[in-house]
Amino acid sequence: MIDLAYWLPVVWAVILIAAISIYVVLDGFDLGIGMLFAVEHDSGRRDVMMNTIAPVWDGNETWMVLGGAVMYGVFPGAYATLLPAFYLPIVLMLLALIFRGVAFEFRVMTKGAKQERLWTMGFMVGSGIGAFCQGAILGGVIQGVKVTEGAFAGGPLDWLTPFSILCGFAVMCGYALLGATWLVWRTTGQLEDSCRHWARRLAFGLIVCIVAVSIWTPLLHAPYLRRWTEWPNLLFVAPVPVLVAVLGGFLVAGLRKGHSKGPFLCALGWFFLCLSGFGISIWPYAVPPALTLWDVSSPPSSQMFQLVGTAILLPIILTYTIYSYRVFRGKVTEADGYH
Amino acid sequence: MHPPHDLALLLARFQFAFTVGVHIIFPAFSIGLAAYLAVLEGLWLKTERSVFLDLYRYWIKIFSIVFGMGVVSGLVMSYEFGTNWSIFSQKAGPITGVLLSYEVMTAFFLEAGFLGVMLFGMNKVGRGLHFAATCCVSVGTLISMTWILSSNSWMQTPQGYSIDPATGRFMPEDWLAIIFNPSFPFRLIHMGLAAFLSVAFIVGATAAWHMLKARREGRNTSEAVRVMFSMAMWMAAIVAPVQIMAGDAHGLNTLKYQPAKIAAMEGDWETESHAPEMLFGIPNMQTERTDYALKVPLLGSLILTHSLDGKVPGLKDFPKDQRPPSPVIFFSFRIMVGLGMLMALVGFWSLWLRHKKTLFSNTAFHWVALCMAPAGFLALLCGWVTTEVGRQPWTVYGLLRTSESVSPVALSSIAVTMTAFVVVYVLVFGSGIGILVRLLGHAPDQNEHDASPDHASDIMATRMHPGLIDASSDNKGH
Ligand code: HDD
Ligand code: HEM
Ligand code: HEM
């Protein structure tokens, strides 16, 4: 007889990490494109940048809604401690994402009017702040949350430390890299060239961040250090840094040689490695260093009911999501005559 | 655990009510408009009359903006349960969280997945596929409404659970009983009709405005505007009376399961048979009476029980700490009902004018239709205030108090975010509504009137989002 109370949370942890990973890479390049507005000032090219993601951004953001909902339904204990603990950065992120989200429509509808600048700025700054907050929250989870009797018991600014700030910048840098490599793939001409240029710099910035976070993380809590250095584990975790280096080599080479898809796929690979590093570090905690997955999970009857639906629906969702990406495949250029 | 600060609780409630109150406007708009768009596109495919395509093109611009605002304000909601009501989430998450997850997986992805095709894909996929995308988005909005209302209704009339004695958590026992809880079907129908009505009155008012404008400028109104007005007025004439019946049925259901809410809505203090109906009054929670009452004898019993000697509950039957605040919902309820009656009157008037063949020429009627623009949304908000405030002091009716649901978040944090929410919402959603009003001020475009439908659809895609041109041909290819 399988012990459902043990295995269901494990299965769900895998699904949740997968949903978060999909969110991070999909909305990552959306937010990255927003940040790249800072280095691309031409209004026509900015339109092209936005148009590469206009048909898909809503679906990308939905993965974040799914992450929140799954946590609420399956790990309510984590939802109920992490959200109050990160109250301020979460609200800030949500407000930033409001500006980012409405900009898609509002910018087009106010073309030529005074307000267009406001929404362009909102898109850029909203993307940047959203990305920073996500990184800071991730860093805050890694460094741990103060919990007594199963509820958050810390102060409103506990999350704000040099480590979480570093993580915030790391995620900004990483998203911008995803955005730049996405544009290398999906655009042409001057825009593509300048993105190749920026992608190289961002890749360099990100690798510096990755090294810094990787060295810092094991120093935060003794269990993290043990996880990464004890013998049998070492066998499994050693390939992670090696793969990061290999992918980095491919990424830079791909950018130089004019590959179009390759650099984006390498950047994706980096993200999956970083997220699995995150998973390896905090496992089996949902709210480090106090609550494990099993402490925070909902009763098996909830998890089972939701699992059945997820097993049926997730493949369907992935199918039509891929379909809608395929409808809009190919390079996007400036339409002549509309500017 | 220490009791949360009273002011923090008040702010958390106000913040939630403010954000969900703003959110609900946009999904309701999307639900109604997506269905309208699906009908328009279907009619266009069937009849090939370009007027339907013109209207589709006109309203899809509005839809794209409304939908965007619904998404960003909804994102806030999905995290606010945890930020503001963490204890509620912890205890009820095994039920409400699962329902929300199903909403995401069955509805939000469906909408988001096909929205891109619907907005930008007219010249990329075939007509049939495009119509399918529109239908998927419309169905998605309806599925979304179904799940969230099931969740909200479960909070109103909980069943199918047990309570874990160790943790006080709600444990799901019977999912069918949870989803199909007693108030759910009533709430679903009433809310769905509310969304359709709200949009019908926006469409009608837009058409009325363009007819009034054309008349002032001595022009003839275009066919598009007349079709739009006629469709909206059919909706009003049919759906408004149905909504009154649905609301009546909803009230009977509430009387059965939440009698304290009904007593507070009616401003009744003593339980009576042969109860009067209060048309006006000011319920006073301290003195336990309703001042300045204007009563119609027997009508209360008649409306609430459908018999003259039916028993109607009074607030004094319930302990003081279990009474919802009557003054708020006494008025919100009356505003909703009043607006509902007005909508039905407008509907009947339109039938009369149609019969007399003056529907498109009666200026007074056009002015009334214009003024009714916000009526649907206003009634909808008043309805929600009645429902939610009437549930107080509980979050899960009779089981979990609002004061025991709130997060351990510092007062200072909530005060800061409350201010930020108000500033950002006023700026963003205020601007959004401004943009909508400006767009609606332009009459439906007739420039493409004589162009072939396919040509027109190309123009539509590029006009809406300049620059979105597929250039796969010059793809360097790797
Ligand atoms: C266009 C919108 C609209 C209109 C015209 C009406 N309503 Fe309504 N009403 C709603 C929109 C709404 C709503 C927003 O959809 C609510 C809030 C929650 C719900 O289920 O429906 C609601 C709630 C609501 C409730 C509270 C149920 C509860 O919480 O237990 C009652 C008793 C009624 N309605 C009754 C009526 C009656 C008798 C109407 C006749 C004129 C009426 N409503 C018109
Ligand atoms: C159907 C989805 C909805 C759900 C699941 C939901 C749930 C909740 C929850 C959890 C609370 C906080 C606890 C409480 O004070 O009772 C609340 C409060 C409230 N909600 Fe809703 N709500 C929904 C829709 C709405 C809508 C559309 C409105 C529109 C106005 C609304 C108005 C309010 C108000 C006014 C309060 C505060 C009540 C008070 O403080 O007296 N709700 N709701
Ligand atoms: C009766 C109340 C509600 C109804 C009928 C409703 C319905 C909808 C609909 C139809 C959408 C998609 C269309 C659009 O974005 O305009 C939507 C978006 C959303 N709603 Fe609500 N909603 C309600 C209340 C709530 C509440 C209380 C929450 C909080 C849990 C919520 C969470 C969301 C989210 C997260 C989105 C954006 C999802 C996306 O499209 O990516 N909604 N809602």
Side-chain angles (χ1 to χ4, degrees), chain A residues 58-59 61-62 65 72 79, chain B residues 16 20 23-24 26-31 63 66-81 100 103-104 107-109 111-112 140-142 144-146 148-149 152 191 384:
Chain A
D58 181 14
E61 197 172 273
T62 306
V65 182
Y72 179 21
Y79 185 77
Chain B
F16 193 89
V20 79
H23 173 62
I24 194 70
F26 300 111
F29 209 145
S30 300
I31 293 166
F63 181 75
V66 167
F67 195 90
M69 292 196 274
V71 170
V72 294
S73 59
L75 185 66
V76 173
M77 297 319 302
S78 66
Y79 282 84
E80 218 171 357
F81 280 122
L100 183 65
E103 175 175 5
V104 179
F108 292 159
F109 275 113
E111 297 167 52
T141 61
L142 294 171
S144 161
M145 168 175 77
T146 307
I148 196 74
L149 288 182
N152 179 280
M191 174 68 205
W384 275 109

Side-chain angles (χ1 to χ4, degrees), chain A residues 227-264:
Chain A
R227 170 82 24 81
W228 284 93
T229 52
E230 260 171 14
W231 168 237
N233 291 1
L234 199 60
L235 211 59
F236 297 105
V237 298
V240 175
V242 176
L243 282 174
V244 170
V246 171
L247 278 176
F250 280 131
L251 173 63
V252 174
L255 284 171
R256 213 183 21 246
K257 289 197 199 132
H259 286 227
S260 94
K261 252 181 246 177
F264 180 65

Side-chain angles (χ1 to χ4, degrees), chain A residues 64 72 79 87 192 302 305, chain B residues 78-79 94 96 101-102 417 476:
Chain A
M64 175 166 168
Y72 179 21
Y79 185 77
Y87 186 76
E192 183 189 341
S302 294
F305 179 67
Chain B
S78 66
Y79 282 84
T96 52
S101 303
Y102 268 99
T417 57
K476 282 187 217 139

Side-chain angles (χ1 to χ4, degrees), chain B residues 126-461:
Chain B
R127 283 188 195 182
L129 260 174
H130 187 266
F131 179 54
T134 308
C135 291
C136 282
V137 172
S138 171
V139 169
T141 61
L142 294 171
I143 299 176
S144 161
M145 168 175 77
T146 307
W147 287 111
I148 196 74
L149 288 182
S150 172
S151 163
N152 179 280
S153 298
W154 181 83
M155 291 164 65
Q156 306 276 353
T157 51
Q159 69 174 25
Y161 64 88
S162 67
I163 292 181
D164 179 26
T167 56
R169 291 196 305 177
F170 294 91
M171 318 286 270
E173 297 293 340
D174 178 353
W175 280 103
L176 281 180
I178 289 169
I179 295 171
F180 297 97
N181 61 77
S183 62
F184 166 63
F186 296 92
R187 194 164 277 111
L188 179 65
I189 289 175
H190 199 48
M191 174 68 205
L193 295 178
F196 292 146
L197 265 183
S198 301
V199 169
F201 277 90
I202 293 286
V203 174
T206 307
W209 165 254
H210 289 297
M211 289 194 286
L212 289 167
K213 199 166 148 205
R215 166 178 284 250
R216 206 174 50 230
E217 293 166 1
R219 287 185 286 114
N220 280 332
T221 47
S222 67
E223 188 193 6
V225 168
R226 272 179 282 134
V227 167
M228 190 156 111
F229 193 61
S230 171
M231 288 172 89
M233 287 306 125
W234 275 122
M235 278 300 278
I238 298 165
V239 177
V242 177
Q243 175 74 319
I244 294 178
M245 290 187 276
D248 175 51
H250 199 343
L252 295 185
N253 179 267
T254 307
L255 176 64
K256 189 159 159 207
Y257 291 96
Q258 298 177 314
K261 187 191 263 185
I262 290 289
M265 275 155 59
E266 295 296 336
D268 290 335
W269 293 93
E270 313 285 349
T271 300
E272 318 175 58
S273 43
H274 303 97
E277 171 71 21
M278 236 138 337
L279 292 184
F280 180 83
I282 300 181
N284 186 327
M285 300 296 284
Q286 262 76 48
T287 59
E288 305 195 320
R289 44 170 296 176
T290 297
D291 303 325
Y292 313 107
L294 179 64
K295 303 183 188 180
V296 181
L298 299 182
L299 192 63
S301 287
L302 186 65
I303 290 178
L304 283 169
T305 65
H306 292 190
S307 80
L308 287 178
D309 56 358
K311 218 157 136 202
V312 176
L315 273 173
K316 284 187 187 166
D317 287 0
F318 306 92
K320 275 197 169 164
D321 68 347
Q322 294 183 18
R323 294 180 193 166
S326 177
V328 179
I329 65 178
F330 183 87
F331 284 104
S332 61
F333 180 65
R334 274 158 187 70
I335 294 171
M336 166 177 68
V337 172
L339 287 169
M341 307 271 181
L342 263 182
M343 290 182 221
L345 279 180
V346 170
F348 290 136
W349 191 0
S350 79
L351 290 179
W352 174 246
L353 294 181
R354 226 184 265 274
H355 173 69
K356 304 234 303 182
K357 304 221 178 332
T358 54
L359 186 62
F360 303 117
S361 57
N362 189 318
T363 325
F365 184 63
H366 297 166
W367 274 109
V368 169
L370 180 60
C371 295
M372 289 292 282
F377 290 114
L378 215 60
L380 190 146
L381 280 178
C382 286
W384 275 109
V385 169
T386 311
T387 295
E388 301 287 305
V389 176
R391 188 188 57 214
Q392 299 306 312
W394 313 97
T395 44
V396 182
Y397 197 69
L399 298 167
L400 182 65
R401 280 179 184 271
T402 308
S403 59
E404 294 161 351
S405 305
V406 69
S407 298
V409 171
L411 174 63
S412 57
S413 300
I414 305 193
V416 168
T417 57
M418 183 71 235
T419 318
F421 270 119
V422 172
V423 170
V424 169
Y425 274 39
V426 167
L427 174 70
V428 171
F429 300 115
S431 306
I433 291 169
I435 292 173
L436 287 179
V437 170
R438 223 194 49 230
L439 281 177
L440 291 173
H442 297 290
D445 210 349
Q446 287 176 47
N447 296 345
E448 280 84 44
H449 211 80
D450 45 12
S452 77
D454 280 331
H455 176 219
S457 65
D458 285 356
I459 290 172
M460 166 188 153

Side-chain angles (χ1 to χ4, degrees), chain A:
Chain A
M1 184 61 209
I2 307 171
D3 180 8
L4 285 181
Y6 178 82
W7 282 107
L8 278 174
V10 175
V11 171
W12 271 109
V14 173
I15 298 176
L16 186 61
I17 295 263
I20 294 175
S21 308
I22 296 176
Y23 169 72
V24 163
V25 298
L26 293 182
D27 213 25
F29 65 75
D30 297 354
L31 292 166
I33 286 171
M35 284 184 273
L36 288 172
F37 267 35
V39 297
E40 178 57 77
H41 300 284
D42 178 72
S43 133
R45 283 198 289 273
R46 283 180 166 182
D47 287 349
V48 173
M49 289 162 76
M50 271 182 119
N51 285 338
T52 63
I53 49 174
V56 292
W57 76 273
D58 181 14
N60 297 348
E61 197 172 273
T62 306
W63 288 94
M64 175 166 168
V65 182
L66 180 67
V70 164
M71 204 154 76
Y72 179 21
V74 175
F75 301 118
Y79 185 77
T81 36
L82 291 176
L83 269 60
F86 298 101
Y87 186 76
L88 291 175
I90 284 174
V91 172
L92 185 62
M93 173 191 75
L94 295 170
L95 293 175
L97 291 180
I98 290 181
F99 279 98
R100 187 288 290 256
V102 297
F104 285 96
E105 299 301 330
F106 288 12
R107 245 186 109 247
V108 181
M109 300 298 175
T110 54
K111 265 250 133 40
K114 279 200 305 288
Q115 298 95 308
E116 188 193 339
R117 249 184 78 82
L118 169 69
W119 302 118
T120 304
M121 285 297 290
F123 185 64
M124 180 170 94
V125 177
S127 299
I129 293 180
F132 177 83
C133 291
Q134 290 179 5
I137 294 166
L138 197 73
V141 172
I142 296 175
Q143 77 196 0
V145 170
K146 186 167 172 229
V147 172
T148 39
E149 291 173 30
F152 172 61
L157 293 177
D158 283 5
W159 56 278
L160 191 64
T161 62
F163 179 74
S164 66
I165 292 174
L166 170 66
C167 291
F169 283 119
V171 166
M172 282 176 83
C173 199
Y175 283 179
L177 173 67
L178 278 176
T181 51
W182 167 260
L183 290 173
V184 165
W185 178 9
R186 297 295 311 278
T187 64
T188 59
Q190 207 175 338
L191 185 54
E192 183 189 341
D193 295 342
S194 80
C195 285
R196 278 185 194 281
H197 168 77
W198 280 103
R200 256 200 303 276
R201 296 179 170 206
L202 288 164
F204 179 72
L206 182 59
I207 199 73
V208 171
C209 291
I210 291 180
V211 171
V213 173
S214 308
I215 295 176
W216 202 331
T217 302
L219 302 180
L220 287 170
H221 293 291
Y224 293 170
L225 187 61
R226 255 180 279 131
R227 170 82 24 81
W228 284 93
T229 52
E230 260 171 14
W231 168 237
N233 291 1
L234 199 60
L235 211 59
F236 297 105
V237 298
V240 175
V242 176
L243 282 174
V244 170
V246 171
L247 278 176
F250 280 131
L251 173 63
V252 174
L255 284 171
R256 213 183 21 246
K257 289 197 199 132
H259 286 227
S260 94
K261 252 181 246 177
F264 180 65
L265 296 178
C266 291
L268 285 192
W270 263 8
F271 265 88
F272 278 114
L273 289 173
C274 291
L275 283 163
S276 48
F278 168 72
I280 291 173
S281 293
I282 70 166
W283 181 267
Y285 287 95
V287 185
L291 304 174
T292 66
L293 284 179
W294 299 275
D295 295 333
V296 299
S297 56
S298 57
S301 50
S302 294
Q303 298 187 53
M304 201 61 209
F305 179 67
Q306 193 168 331
L307 192 60
V308 173
T310 307
I312 299 168
L313 292 163
L314 221 47
I316 301 177
I317 291 168
L318 287 171
T319 310
Y320 62 65
T321 302
I322 292 171
Y323 165 76
S324 85
Y325 268 85
R326 284 188 60 79
V327 169
F328 297 99
R329 70 183 175 274
K331 296 246 178 196
V332 176
T333 59
E334 260 176 78
D336 305 320
Y338 282 101
H339 301 285

